[in-house]
Amino acid sequence: MTEPLFLHIAYAALTLFIVFNYGILLMGTTARIRARVQGRIGIPVWQPYIDIIKNNAKRTSVSHGVMFYLGPVFRLAGGIGTLMFIPVIFGSTVFGNFSFAGDVLLVIYFIFFGQLGMALGAGEGGHPYSAIGVSRGLAQMTAFEVPFTLSVIALVVQHGTLSITELVAAQQGGILAWHLFSNPLATAAALIAFLGMTGNNPFSVVTAPQEIPIGPPTEYQSSYMGMLQSNRAIFNGAKLVLYMNLFLGGAGNIFEMVLKTFALYMLTVIVGVSFPRFRPEQSIRFFLKIPAAIGILAVILTAL
Amino acid sequence: METLLSDLESRFGTTEPRQQRADLAFVRCERNRAVDLITHLRDREGYTHLVFFTAVDIIEQGLFRLTYLLHNPELHTDIGVEVDIDREQAEMESIHRLWAQAATYQRELKEMFGIDFPGSPRVDEPFVLESWDDIPPMRREFDTKAYSEHRFVARPGRETHETTEHMKQKLYPEEEA
Amino acid sequence: MSEADDKQQFIPDVEEEEARSTRGKIQLPNADMPIEDEGRFCSARPHVEAPFRGAIEKFLNWARSQSLWVLGFGTGCGAIELRPLMTARFDAYRYGIQGRPTPRQSSVFIIGGYVSLKTLKRIIRSYEQMQNPKFVIGLGSCTINGGMYWDSYNTINRIDNYIPVDVYIAGCMPRPEAILAGFKKLKERIRAGEAEGANEYAEHFDWYKENQKRIVKDWDMPDYNW
């Protein structure tokens, strides 16, 4: 790290800006694709920008206390924290982000941290539906972390390193070096966990639109809502980039990153529109059976 | 159904049996014996389904006519029991012990007509109307137009046209002369 | 016969039902708070929030008109015309009109059809929970002058007296094309800066409250923004 600090901060801000915009355009594009599939015209691709501007331009807002305010802040911190330790473009000084030994565990922690903060904030809101959404969200998250962590452990055992950048470096050298092909069991377990992470059907019971009014963000409005929506874009982008780095070989340039993450996201969207919703106990049981078994098998086979 | 109707007449003294269709008949019963009749129909004749139970305000004769419509799921026939009660002291025995859902019907009748069913659970709670301050609105001496004009503010400038005259003037103005 | 009787006999416990009912027993959460904390709950009056000036407000109004989040509360028969509006044939999503389940997050309240007194209490409560700026569309003739139910004993004739309305759409019920035209009119009004219903409500708050309390005789709600 021989460059001055402000340059690092500038690069980090640039990465954040790019991933934020990418996440928003991704949300808008998939909504439009979904609409076209349903025979409608659909929202314009830049609609999430307008929603965020509109929410921040509300003139009043209602707060229920300090923790209510800190909930979205924690979630945003989780999203940014996840992003900052994943190399968006491998080998680039600008988008290479930070890395140190053990950062894969830190990234897993940040994913969980955001949801915890949101749970505390939503609980302070005092709305019963928020509490229901929060309990479902945390329960489901605990369940899908099992196959995900097992798969990450399998990768770590395979290469003997806990740093994401080194995991990406180990996947260079042709398509067959990707973990998708060199460790397919770990990829399978992690991709199933990814469905739970993105909150699409069949694991969308957390926000459960039309069932409980939106779940945890029920009481959030105005600028809090703007913050939550921005975080959604950043978090989506961060998770996609993480998966791309862990299983699809990282990206050498922006074009490759966009291609790989878009393909990954469309996979979850296609699964999402084809399925109805699981109840929380069904989804927990699902994650703890076959995906966990695949994960354990992956760890055992890799260790041998 | 004729055997059933004549049997009811001999047992409970029902009057005016009318066979409206092959599967629908009405009888009229006295107020004191009505609940016994309904219990007999439910328990022994197989009319186990209460379809509905409502009241008609016959102000000219000074009475409410309650109609209980019962259905027999095996024979697919309906029988309606009509009971006349006095309009001023409107009170009837409750049948919530025969069908639990009758409590809701009775609550509605209490609110809309003012017919009391002593002993029915939650019969005094308002059913549909909130902030109501007048006589029960389904009674025919209640003038809904006057009440609406008195309580609710209308937007000025509303006109009411007699439709036939208005359309005649509009479409055939030369015929007026 | 005794078995049939046992199965069919369900006698609800009158006292238990009475104890569970909350009618007439509502205790407001700020009943015994010190004066400085009271304002966090139900007794804070709304304030007029002055809009920005010039190009900023124009831009923000444009953004507000492009992203209209409708509260998913079907107050009357108008709600049945909102469903085809969201489906593939008329597709209101392309205009930025989305349904939101909670009044905290929505900015447009569609009063669809007649308003009975029972619904009016809920409308007032939902409307006050929405954040400034908020817009109200009156759908159907019943919101304008009572419509088909003008002489009914339970429906109000002018929703204008109780909450401020921005756009009326006449009809009984207006077709989805008419509703889209009404939304277009609402967008024009928002962009021109005329749709300041929330500020109007705050300015004439006493007049609105007096009208509401006069018409709703069993007022058991807090006064604002619960």
Side-chain angles (χ1 to χ4, degrees):
Chain A
M1 302 293 179
T2 51
E3 290 139 352
L5 183 62
F6 74 88
L7 214 53
H8 277 295
I9 296 180
Y11 289 156
L14 185 61
T15 312
L16 194 60
F17 179 70
I18 300 246
V19 172
F20 169 68
N21 284 312
Y22 178 61
I24 288 199
L25 287 174
L26 200 63
M27 275 162 46
T29 314
T30 43
R32 198 156 172 101
I33 293 177
R34 225 183 273 144
R36 291 292 166 132
V37 168
Q38 290 173 355
R40 300 184 280 126
I41 294 183
I43 61 177
V45 171
W46 57 83
Q47 180 75 17
Y49 284 119
I50 305 181
D51 288 338
I52 293 181
I53 295 175
K54 182 207 78 163
N55 271 325
N56 284 32
K58 290 250 183 196
R59 301 184 193 133
T60 57
S61 68
V62 171
S63 170
H64 292 277
V66 176
M67 202 58 222
F68 186 79
Y69 169 71
L70 285 180
V73 173
F74 278 7
R75 207 160 156 78
L76 195 60
I80 296 179
T82 314
L83 183 62
M84 282 294 113
F85 291 98
I86 313 172
V88 175
I89 294 179
F90 178 63
S92 144
T93 43
V94 178
F95 297 114
N97 289 340
F98 304 103
S99 80
F100 58 91
D103 59 11
V104 75
L105 294 178
L106 184 64
V107 163
I108 297 181
Y109 168 70
F110 266 124
I111 294 179
F112 200 64
F113 173 71
Q115 185 84 329
L116 274 181
M118 188 67 196
L120 290 172
E124 172 106 8
H127 203 281
Y129 289 139
S130 305
I132 296 179
V134 148
S135 70
R136 288 174 174 179
L138 288 178
Q140 197 170 278
M141 175 162 261
T142 321
F144 74 66
E145 289 264 309
V146 171
F148 179 57
T149 317
L150 285 171
S151 138
V152 166
I153 290 177
L155 292 183
V156 164
V157 165
Q158 184 176 358
H159 296 288
T161 166
L162 277 171
S163 160
I164 297 187
T165 316
E166 291 182 26
L167 282 174
V168 176
Q171 291 180 75
Q172 303 307 311
I175 291 193
L176 285 181
W178 292 358
H179 287 141
L180 177 61
F181 298 108
S182 68
N183 200 342
L185 284 177
T187 315
L191 279 180
I192 300 179
F194 190 47
L195 291 176
M197 232 189 261
T198 53
N200 272 335
N201 286 347
F203 305 111
S204 69
V205 80
V206 181
T207 50
Q210 302 101 33
E211 192 184 314
I212 49 178
I214 290 287
T218 300
E219 275 290 309
Y220 281 104
Q221 7 72 20
S222 314
S223 10
Y224 305 112
M225 192 69 199
M227 204 187 291
L228 284 178
Q229 284 191 304
S230 319
N231 175 62
R232 207 157 154 230
I234 296 175
F235 214 22
N236 266 349
K239 280 187 280 209
L240 286 169
V241 169
L242 174 69
Y243 265 73
M244 175 191 76
N245 279 330
L246 286 180
F247 301 105
L248 293 181
N253 50 45
I254 285 243
F255 180 65
E256 208 180 325
M257 175 196 101
V258 166
L259 202 63
K260 288 182 181 176
T261 48
F262 192 70
L264 202 54
Y265 195 55
M266 280 314 285
L267 179 70
T268 58
V269 166
I270 291 175
V271 171
V273 298
S274 329
F275 278 93
R277 197 181 287 155
F278 276 170
R279 290 207 315 268
E281 60 264 19
Q282 290 173 325
S283 61
I284 294 176
R285 275 192 213 128
F286 169 75
F287 277 122
L288 293 179
K289 284 201 277 207
I290 298 196
I294 297 180
I296 294 179
L297 206 58
V299 173
I300 294 177
L301 285 182
T302 318
L304 286 177
Chain B
M1 282 189 82
E2 289 91 12
T3 47
L4 172 66
L5 294 179
S6 51
D7 179 53
L8 291 180
E9 186 169 345
S10 59
R11 273 190 207 244
F12 295 98
T14 62
T15 53
E16 292 197 38
R18 279 150 288 152
Q19 185 95 27
Q20 190 165 317
R21 289 195 305 259
D23 58 353
L24 176 60
F26 287 93
V27 292
R28 191 163 304 165
C29 184
E30 247 180 68
R31 189 179 172 274
N32 304 342
R33 311 180 71 178
V35 181
D36 295 333
L37 165 62
I38 293 173
T39 316
H40 168 87
L41 282 171
R42 182 189 83 144
D43 292 333
R44 277 184 246 160
E45 302 292 345
Y47 285 85
T48 50
H49 177 207
L50 174 72
V51 181
F52 69 81
F53 142 40
T54 182
V56 178
D57 185 357
I58 306 184
I59 196 170
E60 295 86 5
Q61 299 165 18
L63 45 83
F64 284 128
R65 181 160 292 157
L66 298 174
T67 309
Y68 298 78
L69 198 68
L70 307 172
H71 175 75
N72 187 332
E74 263 120 51
L75 302 174
H76 296 294
T77 52
D78 290 331
I79 186 164
V81 176
E82 295 176 354
V83 179
D84 289 340
I85 56 178
D86 181 46
R87 221 171 159 275
E88 300 312 314
Q89 269 96 29
E91 216 180 71
M92 177 65 195
E93 207 182 322
S94 161
I95 60 166
H96 74 276
R97 289 197 167 78
L98 302 175
W99 290 279
Q101 68 267 27
T104 310
Y105 285 113
Q106 288 167 174
R107 213 169 129 199
E108 184 192 3
L109 288 180
K110 170 92 192 272
E111 184 180 55
M112 290 293 177
F113 286 95
I115 304 176
D116 198 12
F117 294 89
S120 182
R122 294 171 67 184
V123 76
D124 286 320
E125 267 186 41
F127 182 61
V128 163
L129 302 175
E130 285 188 8
S131 63
W132 185 249
D133 57 352
D134 209 318
I135 65 174
M138 287 289 212
R139 296 179 90 110
R140 280 170 59 187
E141 70 252 20
F142 175 71
D143 189 353
T144 164
K145 182 156 172 273
Y147 180 79
S148 169
E149 279 166 5
H150 154 75
R151 181 139 185 223
F152 302 117
V153 178
R155 188 179 294 270
R158 188 198 169 98
E159 298 172 9
T160 306
H161 298 286
E162 217 276 87
T163 42
T164 331
E165 290 305 316
H166 178 77
M167 287 317 290
K168 211 193 282 187
Q169 273 173 24
K170 194 166 154 193
L171 295 175
Y172 310 108
E174 58 274 4
E175 283 184 11
E176 286 302 301
Chain C
M1 187 180 109
S2 54
E3 284 90 342
D5 263 342
D6 281 343
K7 278 203 203 92
Q8 289 195 5
Q9 237 175 32
F10 161 67
I11 304 172
D13 190 348
V14 180
E15 276 114 3
E16 187 191 303
E17 299 250 354
E18 287 275 311
R20 267 191 299 163
S21 140
T22 54
R23 237 168 19 105
K25 292 188 220 149
I26 300 211
Q27 176 92 345
L28 297 182
N30 67 345
D32 43 41
M33 290 193 115
I35 291 285
E36 54 270 6
D37 285 327
E38 238 190 12
R40 287 177 67 186
F41 291 95
C42 328
S43 59
R45 280 180 67 105
H47 303 288
V48 174
E49 307 282 339
F52 290 113
R53 301 206 171 282
I56 299 182
E57 187 65 15
K58 271 212 173 72
F59 172 65
L60 292 179
N61 278 339
W62 173 84
R64 284 178 195 129
S65 74
Q66 291 288 93
S67 154
L68 295 168
W69 285 3
V70 178
L71 173 62
F73 176 11
T75 48
C77 29
I80 203 173
E81 290 291 345
L82 295 179
R83 310 295 176 240
L85 199 63
M86 302 294 182
T87 51
R89 181 169 172 180
F90 300 105
D91 195 20
Y93 288 107
R94 57 191 152 143
Y95 301 116
I97 302 170
Q98 305 174 34
R100 267 337 244 203
T102 126
R104 294 269 185 226
Q105 294 170 3
S106 45
S107 51
V108 178
F109 194 176
I110 296 188
I111 311 243
Y114 64 88
V115 175
S116 63
L117 290 169
K118 195 170 182 176
T119 318
L120 183 64
K121 284 162 78 173
R122 278 85 180 157
I123 286 179
I124 294 171
R125 207 155 154 166
S126 303
Y127 179 73
E128 291 181 345
Q129 285 180 37
M130 291 163 72
Q131 304 303 310
N132 193 336
K134 45 193 169 182
F135 319 110
V136 175
I137 295 184
L139 204 67
S141 316
C142 288
T143 51
I144 302 177
N145 58 6
M148 179 165 78
Y149 298 115
W150 64 283
D151 56 354
S152 162
Y153 52 86
N154 203 17
T155 60
I156 61 174
N157 287 338
R158 278 185 75 167
I159 189 72
D160 230 4
N161 281 347
Y162 312 107
I163 58 178
V165 178
D166 290 303
V167 169
Y168 289 103
I169 306 178
C172 189
M173 277 286 133
R175 271 191 59 92
E177 292 99 338
I179 304 182
L180 286 177
F183 268 111
K184 182 156 174 259
K185 187 93 204 298
L186 177 68
K187 287 186 191 211
E188 283 166 18
R189 285 202 77 192
I190 295 176
R191 277 185 222 144
E194 293 167 16
E196 295 290 340
N199 284 342
E200 212 182 295
Y201 191 71
E203 223 178 292
H204 308 290
F205 187 62
D206 295 317
W207 182 75
Y208 280 113
K209 261 309 148 191
E210 195 196 314
N211 281 344
Q212 290 164 8
K213 288 200 171 157
R214 195 185 313 138
I215 202 91
V216 174
K217 300 234 167 103
D218 57 346
W219 187 270
D220 55 358
M221 310 192 289
D223 271 1
Y224 186 69
N225 203 12
W226 205 58

